[in-house]
Amino acid sequence: MTNLSTRADQLAAFDRLLTIMDELRAQCPWDMKQTTESLRHLTIEETFELSDAILEGNPEEIKKELGDLLLHLVFYAKIGSEEGNFDMASLTNALCEKLIRRHPHIYGDTEAKDEEAVKQNWEKIKLQEKGNKSVLGGVPKSLPALIKAMRIQEKARGVGFDWEEKSQVWEKVEEEMQEFKEEFNADDEKEIDREKAAAEFGDLLFSLINYARFIDINPEEALERTNLKFIKRFQYLENAAREQGKSLGDMTLNEMDVYWNEAKGK
C-alpha cells in the first residue's frame, strides 16, 4: 500500500497541479483552445472510465482515472476564472458552505439518528435551496433511463413517498409482470400493440428497479456486471470456436451451447 501523505503534502501537490494548469493554458496549443463545451464530452468519457475501473476493483486504475477527472475539474475552474465567473477558491468555498448547510446534524442542532434521516434532511434542504416546485426537479434530464429511475425513486423516498415493506414492492413487480404478459403473450402469435406493450414493459422495469432499491442492490451495477459476464463468456465462445477452425456463423446453436456451458464453468 502506498504511504499516505500529510495534509501539507496534499496541499502542495494540489498547488503544483494548479501551477501546471496555468502553464498549460498559457503555452500549450491544445489546452489554450479548450472551452467548457469542448471538454464536456471528454469529461463524460473520463467518468465512465472511472466507473469501469471501480467495477474492475483495480486501485491503480481508479487512482489514474481519478487523476484524469481531477484535471478536468481544475481545467473548468481555470476557464471559469478567465471568464470572470468563478475560480477554484470560490467554487471550493461554495461546496464547503453547501456541505455545512446540508449537514445540520453535524454543524447545527438538527438530529439524524440514521442514514435514512440524513437523506431526508438532504433532500428537504436541497429543495429549499434550489426553489424547485417539484422534488424531482433536481434529477438531470440527460441521465440514462435506468439511473434516472433510481434517482426519481430515491428522491420520492426522501420526502416520504415510498412503499413501507419490500413485500408490497414485490407484489407490484408481479402485478406489472402479469400486465406485460397480457400485452405480449409469448405463446400468442397474433400482432400486438407495441406501443402499449412497451409502456407495460417500462412499468415492469421501473418496479424491478424499485425492488432492487429495497433489497439494497444497485440495478445499474448489477446489469453492468451481467454485461461483463456475458462479454467474457461470449469471447470464450469465439476463441474456442476459432481454435477449432470454426466460425460462429457456421455453427448451430447446439454446437455453440457446448462452448457456452464450458465458459460458465470458468
Side-chain angles (χ1 to χ4, degrees), residues 37-261:
E37 289 78 12
S38 68
L39 288 173
R40 175 182 170 275
H41 73 282
L42 296 175
T43 306
I44 293 172
E45 182 179 333
E46 294 294 354
T47 303
F48 279 112
E49 289 179 358
L50 172 61
S51 176
D52 286 347
I54 292 172
L55 286 176
E56 292 165 4
N58 188 326
E60 279 303 310
E61 280 300 307
I62 292 174
K63 181 178 77 171
K64 171 181 172 295
E65 299 303 341
L66 281 172
D68 291 343
L69 201 52
L70 177 58
L71 170 61
H72 279 241
L73 299 180
V74 170
F75 214 145
Y76 286 119
K78 178 62 178 176
I79 295 173
S81 68
E82 293 170 351
E83 296 175 346
N85 296 324
F86 55 83
D87 60 14
M88 183 56 69
S90 65
L91 74 85
T92 302
N93 281 325
L95 172 60
C96 291
E97 293 301 323
K98 181 173 74 173
L99 290 174
I100 292 171
R101 209 165 45 244
R102 294 191 184 177
H103 290 80
H105 54 290
I106 302 296
Y107 301 103
D109 54 9
T110 302
E111 290 189 9
K113 297 181 180 179
D114 54 29
E115 178 188 1
E116 190 58 38
V118 173
K119 288 181 178 179
Q120 290 184 6
N121 283 338
W122 180 281
E123 290 299 338
K124 290 175 183 176
I125 296 170
K126 186 174 182 180
L127 191 60
Q128 294 170 356
E129 287 176 354
K130 294 198 170 186
N132 289 332
K133 295 180 180 179
S134 169
V135 71
L136 303 181
V139 179
K141 296 177 181 178
S142 58
L143 276 179
L146 194 152
I147 300 175
K148 185 185 291 185
M150 292 167 51
R151 295 296 293 134
I152 288 171
Q153 293 169 6
E154 289 168 355
K155 285 187 173 292
R157 180 177 179 80
V159 292
F161 185 78
D162 202 6
W163 300 95
E164 294 180 354
E165 303 291 339
K166 67 178 182 181
S167 59
Q168 297 172 308
V169 188
W170 185 249
E171 287 176 7
K172 186 63 176 175
V173 171
E174 293 182 319
E175 175 188 325
E176 297 295 353
M177 174 63 82
Q178 184 59 40
E179 289 181 5
F180 179 68
K181 286 175 68 177
E182 290 173 0
E183 294 299 330
F184 187 48
N185 190 330
D187 296 326
D188 193 341
E189 297 300 328
K190 71 178 182 180
E191 189 171 348
I192 65 168
D193 183 335
R194 294 194 177 277
E195 184 173 344
K196 192 173 182 181
E200 296 295 348
F201 187 69
D203 291 345
L204 174 59
L205 284 178
F206 194 85
S207 64
L208 280 170
I209 292 168
N210 213 0
Y211 186 73
R213 180 173 58 84
F214 257 77
I215 58 175
D216 201 25
I217 291 176
N218 185 310
E220 168 70 18
E221 291 182 4
L223 180 58
E224 180 58 11
R225 291 184 187 280
T226 296
N227 289 339
L228 294 174
K229 180 171 61 179
F230 184 91
I231 290 171
K232 180 180 178 181
R233 291 176 179 176
F234 191 81
Q235 289 177 341
Y236 177 90
L237 168 63
E238 289 178 313
N239 291 333
R242 194 176 299 116
E243 289 174 0
Q244 297 295 322
K246 298 178 181 179
S247 167
L248 291 185
D250 298 327
M251 297 172 64
T252 66
L253 186 57
N254 286 337
E255 289 175 317
M256 287 190 279
D257 274 343
V258 173
Y259 295 124
W260 184 263
N261 289 327

Side-chain angles (χ1 to χ4, degrees), residues 9 112 138:
D9 290 336

